[in-house]
Amino acid sequence: MSAVADWSAQLAAWAIPEEILAAAPESPWVLPRAVFERRVDRHLAEPGTPTHRAVLDALGAGGTVLD
């Protein structure tokens, strides 16, 4: 078996069984928007890294960033 085929088989073995996915009220593969909103609010309130601080300093008041 090639390395690609072996890796593909390993990934398939980790899959969530179809009957569980069908019974789930929502997709387990999507994080709710609120998760990201909380992270943004937290990082805007107190930038945690030198990179965040440098970007905010360069951006100026009212600016936006598309990441």
Side-chain angles (χ1 to χ4, degrees), residues 26-49:
E26 60 186 45
S27 173
W29 305 117
V30 178
L31 287 174
R33 179 182 174 121
V35 170
F36 297 101
E37 289 172 345
R38 284 191 307 266
R39 289 179 185 177
V40 168
D41 290 344
R42 186 173 60 241
H43 285 292
L44 288 176
E46 188 174 328
T49 68

